[in-house]
Amino acid sequence: MTTDATTQLTELTHLISEKRAPVAVIGLGYVGLSVAGMLARCGFAVMGVDINMARIAALQAGRSPMEGEEPGFEELITEVTASGRLNVTADYDGVRGARVVIICVDTPVEEETHLPVYKALRGALASLGPVLEPGALVIVESTIAPGTMTTLVIPTLEASTGMQAGEDFYLGHCPERVTPGKLLYNLTHLSRTVGGQTPDVAAAMVTLYTHYVEGDLDTTDLLSAEIVKTAENAFRDVQIAFANELAIICETLGADAFEVRELVNKSPGRNVLMPGAGVGGHCIPKDPWLLIANVRAQYEPLLIPAARAVNNQMPYRMVELTRQGLAAHGVELAGARIAVLGYAFREGTDDDRDSPSQYLIAALEAEGALPVVHDPYVRAYQVPLEAVVSGAQAVVLMVGHAAYRELDLAALLAVVALPVLIDGRHIFTAADARAHGFTYLGVGTPQAKSDHAHSGSDAVLRS
Ligand SMILES: NC(=O)c1ccc[n+]([C@@H]2O[C@H](COP(=O)([O-])OP(=O)(O)OC[C@H]3O[C@@H](n4cnc5c(N)ncnc54)[C@H](O)[C@@H]3O)[C@@H](O)[C@H]2O)c1
């Protein structure tokens, strides 16, 4: 870095420490809106940019576009839009003058090849180039495949600005650790990996994040930051896959996976997670693929794709359990009315990206079953719960939303057409559900002896 560049960065760091550096946040989804809101609350003047006009319109009206249970979020957005510290626009001209630009656009992977799809990232970088202020700090918070900062972000920005990274503007990668349902808590409490193109850039980034992050701010280089983020989600995916595979082994052998798990976890250093109906969201299903994206030409990883395969099969296992539950009453899947409870990828959120329920529903429909879906947070399925379960021949629990944990089994039994309960989130115990008269099957739960064979009884409408 030249002396001029170092002096310019020192001045910028000073402006950031005094909250006098105007900030632009590109991409106002779960991540970007949280970051924009929090920086605005801290006292920065923030311009949020998004190409989604509905999102911009909601924010310009002072409303949060999020539907789930997101503690403090609605209040934050109301506060910072009313105070004028957060403004939003779909026009990149609004970025002019920003001294810090934070990129939070989506970074999915391609369904077949599992390779990263950088349409949003490339689009954001191309639009940013012509309006980027010389001397600005550009931070990518989106999760990216290791190597992307060097092979894509730097050359694209250099080409579109005509400036040199590290001299005329500064680059960092500070991946996010938020989770829908805990956005603001995670944003402010968790530690962060702060990757800078140089240690001075990382130090400038630390000055920024110190304003609202209470956790550690650990500095490193760009590549390590990229690996840390994708590795932490790949690790989680592998852990979940182990729990799911163990659950299938227990089910098959006739043991209770939840009891086995508790006993295994008594052994020092073991911490088997809970099995479930599948893994979804915009992070865990794709970040393992991002981690390995740029090594596959030289080394084909074995464990990480295997974990993906284990977790991806879980919605289909739920279909199998549903088939078995119905068979115990002499009913076939084709033509059966199936109440699917939960469409989001996890409890308490409206985020339905890559949710296991999507795969379950598609598979049920392919078999000729008639799924009806409920979710208290996903707009398309905000229908009365009773209307969905009434007359159902099987109730399939896919998400542990609070509304389902509070379900009264006796009341449920009174309205369903068949007492078949398939539990993908261990919301009920087998003993309780069976005591209420349900044919209960769940991931990791051994089947009751009576459910193994066809009972021979005709389906009886109970509603
Ligand atoms: N959702 C999470 O919990 C979470 C957690 C950690 C990391 N991440 C990572 O953060 C990134 C963003 O995730 P998200 O969940 O906020 O995604 P999101 O889909 O909720 O938000 C992305 C936003 O970017 C906007 N966008 C797309 N292209 C744009 C462009 N060219 N210019 C301006 N805006 C554009 C979209 O309209 C959308 O509103 C991803 O890389 C994700 O992997 C997400």
Side-chain angles (χ1 to χ4, degrees), residues 199-212:
D200 286 349
V201 174
M205 293 164 70
V206 166
T207 307
L208 177 75
Y209 288 106
T210 302
H211 287 298
Y212 65 89

Side-chain angles (χ1 to χ4, degrees), residues 26-31 49-52 55 92 104-107 120 123-124 142-143 176 178-180 229 282-283 286 353:
I26 298 179
L28 299 174
Y30 292 92
V31 167
V49 184
D50 203 298
I51 52 172
N52 180 327
R55 192 155 283 200
Y92 271 78
C104 306
V105 298
D106 43 304
T107 49
S142 298
T143 309
E176 265 299 345
V178 297
T179 304
K229 172 64 202 178
H282 185 49
C283 294
K286 57 119 176 137
R353 287 177 290 177

Side-chain angles (χ1 to χ4, degrees), residues 350-371:
D350 66 339
D351 190 348
D352 60 4
R353 287 177 290 177
D354 222 2
S355 83
S357 296
Q358 295 175 18
Y359 298 97
L360 170 104
I361 291 162
L364 287 174
E365 283 173 345
E367 296 252 9
L370 308 170

Side-chain angles (χ1 to χ4, degrees), residues 124-387:
L125 293 171
S127 306
L128 174 61
V131 294
L132 184 66
E133 189 81 9
L137 168 62
V138 179
I139 302 173
V140 175
E141 286 208 5
S142 298
T143 309
I144 47 181
T148 303
M149 288 298 292
T150 306
T151 57
L152 189 146
V153 177
I154 292 177
T156 308
L157 267 184
E158 286 187 336
S160 61
T161 57
M163 297 193 285
Q164 194 187 339
E167 290 298 330
D168 308 314
F169 64 94
Y170 310 99
L171 268 179
H173 176 47
C174 186
E176 265 299 345
R177 286 184 167 142
V178 297
T179 304
K182 296 186 202 166
L183 287 176
L184 296 188
Y185 181 86
N186 283 12
L187 193 71
T188 50
H189 287 79
L190 299 190
S191 69
R192 298 288 290 274
T193 307
V194 182
Q197 197 181 1
T198 65
D200 286 349
V201 174
M205 293 164 70
V206 166
T207 307
L208 177 75
Y209 288 106
T210 302
H211 287 298
Y212 65 89
V213 176
E214 290 174 25
D216 295 341
L217 293 167
D218 303 306
T219 58
T220 185
D221 56 274
L222 296 174
L223 177 65
S224 300
E226 292 168 323
I227 296 175
V228 168
K229 172 64 202 178
T230 46
E232 66 199 32
N233 279 346
F235 180 63
R236 185 81 176 161
D237 199 46
V238 168
Q239 285 182 309
I240 296 170
F242 182 84
N244 283 336
E245 192 148 278
L246 179 62
I248 295 168
I249 291 168
C250 289
E251 258 173 56
T252 309
L253 295 175
D256 181 336
F258 300 95
E259 187 191 349
V260 167
R261 169 183 175 264
E262 264 182 37
L263 298 177
V264 169
N265 287 349
K266 295 252 167 158
S267 179
R270 274 54 162 193
N271 187 15
V272 178
L273 300 180
M274 291 284 278
V279 174
H282 185 49
C283 294
I284 306 256
K286 57 119 176 137
D287 291 355
W289 295 119
L290 290 179
L291 173 62
I292 65 174
N294 292 331
V295 298
R296 293 171 75 182
Q298 296 108 296
Y299 167 70
E300 191 58 52
L302 302 172
L303 178 64
I304 289 169
R308 285 282 62 242
V310 170
N311 290 334
N312 279 347
Q313 73 176 318
M314 297 314 287
Y316 304 106
R317 286 201 62 84
M318 290 294 288
V319 173
E320 283 318 305
L321 294 178
T322 308
R323 188 196 311 282
Q324 290 167 23
L326 290 169
H329 295 265
V331 173
E332 289 192 352
L333 198 50
R337 180 184 159 94
I338 314 290
V340 177
L341 302 195
Y343 192 78
F345 88 91
R346 59 169 284 162
E347 62 272 16
T349 181
D350 66 339
D351 190 348
D352 60 4
R353 287 177 290 177
D354 222 2
S355 83
S357 296
Q358 295 175 18
Y359 298 97
L360 170 104
I361 291 162
L364 287 174
E365 283 173 345
E367 296 252 9
L370 308 170
V372 272
V373 188
H374 176 271
D375 194 294
Y377 306 110
V378 179
R379 192 161 284 182
Y381 302 110
Q382 288 171 330
V383 287
L385 178 55
E386 177 144 7

